[in-house]
Amino acid sequence: MASGIHHVTSIAGSARRNLAFYTDTLGMRLVKKTVNFDDPATYHLYYGDPAGRPGTILTFFPWEGVPPGRAGIGEVHETVFSVPESSIGYWTQRFVEKGVAHETPVKRFGEITVAFKDSDGTRLALAGAKAIEPADAWGTGRVPPEHAIRGFHGVSLLLAEAAPTAAILSDVFGFVADGREGSTERYRAPDVATGGVVDLTTAGEFLAARQGAGSVHHIAFRAVDDAAQAAMAKKLVQDHRLYPTEQKDRNYFRSVYFREPGKVLFEIATDPPGFAIDEPIESLGQALKLPPFLEGRRAEIEAALPTLT
Ligand code: ZN
């Protein structure tokens, strides 16, 4: 079984503006409101589908006043969501109405795709899929369910060369080559409906990316359980001389991290336990949730966080 994308984590400026863009403008659900476990004065906001399934989760570290990032090689260049092909017109109209920076829809690998940016300049796109699962009912009323974002289509990485990264994707995560368009090679996780595409764009000796607002911090791939994660980690060490971190408990999944040869930070995150571990699925994202080791500092942490409304 190949592994798809579990989540993508990016850097934002204002937490309030970030929340408004992803919930009001894009109609995604805030599925978890917590803090950065390594920096608890900062929010960690998770957006996803109504059930918060792996493959639909875009997360942010909002750092108020962080300077903008600079696009370049060695990073996730664009994060792409899936919508029905028939919804692309709805979305371009919505982008015009809401003043969202976007480009004219174009065909990429045969799919109609519209690139746009969030309020921090994060590079995003919607890819129109011909066959797509119906959306779960999610009663925000902001985006009609038939047009709702269905999770990740995939990501594109900007690299000096594609082959070393491609070797990790195919050998460790089970992706297979699925065509080329210009300087972009597509890799796909067979049988993965949501978040199964990674495009590798070769830029040669271009400037290296510099992280800041609008940059992707890392991308996480799925492991069905701890044993699958351990097997992937072992493969990285034995066959690729890449040394992942010790497993870190992220409360909603367990993670190891490594920098792949193209310099992009990769994570391997377990599907279990998921976002319903510390609050009911119906009320995901409403209360500030803290991991047990930070619960004793709740008053201090809440006082330091910016207001979201
Ligand atoms: Zn992560």
Side-chain angles (χ1 to χ4, degrees), residues 29-284:
R29 183 177 189 186
L30 178 66
V31 295
K32 193 63 65 181
K33 181 163 61 177
T34 183
V35 296
N36 181 339
F37 292 2
D38 301 321
D39 173 18
T42 302
Y43 275 117
H44 193 181
L45 303 177
Y46 290 74
Y47 306 100
D49 79 347
R53 289 177 304 156
T56 73
I57 306 296
L58 179 58
T59 95
F60 285 90
F61 298 135
W63 283 311
E64 304 285 331
V66 67
R70 182 184 70 198
I73 59 169
E75 70 171 349
V76 173
H77 189 71
E78 188 183 62
T79 302
V80 186
F81 298 108
S82 272
V83 296
E85 188 181 48
S86 55
S87 297
I88 292 288
Y90 165 86
W91 280 103
T92 47
Q93 181 63 32
R94 186 170 179 84
F95 291 158
V96 170
E97 284 167 11
K98 301 274 182 189
V100 175
H102 65 284
E103 293 172 16
T104 307
V106 292
K107 280 227 164 176
R108 292 190 200 162
F109 291 90
E111 291 163 323
I112 189 94
T113 303
V114 54
F116 67 104
K117 286 181 178 172
D118 76 2
S119 35
D120 285 299
T122 307
R123 289 173 300 279
L124 304 165
L126 298 174
K130 288 188 177 67
I132 200 162
E133 297 171 36
D136 297 342
W138 171 235
T140 65
R142 290 171 180 131
V143 172
E146 67 268 29
H147 299 309
I149 285 172
R150 308 292 210 272
F152 293 123
H153 173 271
V155 294
S156 71
L157 313 185
L158 194 65
L159 302 166
E161 50 176 341
T165 301
I168 302 300
L169 287 176
S170 38
D171 191 40
V172 181
F173 298 125
F175 282 63
V176 295
D178 191 33
R180 164 191 279 275
E181 209 174 77
S183 57
T184 300
E185 293 171 42
R186 171 155 291 186
Y187 284 80
R188 186 184 287 280
D191 311 320
V192 172
T194 309
V197 169
V198 177
D199 286 338
L200 306 181
T201 300
T202 306
E205 294 304 311
F206 195 65
L207 278 177
R210 191 179 55 211
Q211 285 200 336
S215 303
V216 171
H217 187 268
H218 64 266
I219 168 175
F221 292 88
R222 296 173 66 173
V224 290
D225 54 22
D226 292 313
Q229 184 189 60
M232 292 175 190
K234 191 174 169 190
K235 200 158 216 199
L236 284 167
V237 174
Q238 288 186 343
D239 301 342
H240 300 277
R241 293 176 175 244
L242 291 170
Y243 296 87
T245 62
E246 292 290 293
Q247 192 191 59
K248 295 179 196 287
D249 185 356
R250 297 312 192 188
N251 227 17
Y252 313 106
F253 40 85
R254 293 176 290 276
S255 301
V256 302
Y257 302 83
F258 66 100
R259 207 164 281 280
E260 56 83 35
K263 305 277 189 283
V264 181
L265 184 59
F266 277 10
E267 170 183 347
I268 308 171
T270 57
D271 282 359
F275 295 103
I277 184 79
D278 61 356
E279 59 186 334
I281 201 101
E282 304 78 48
S283 56
L284 287 179

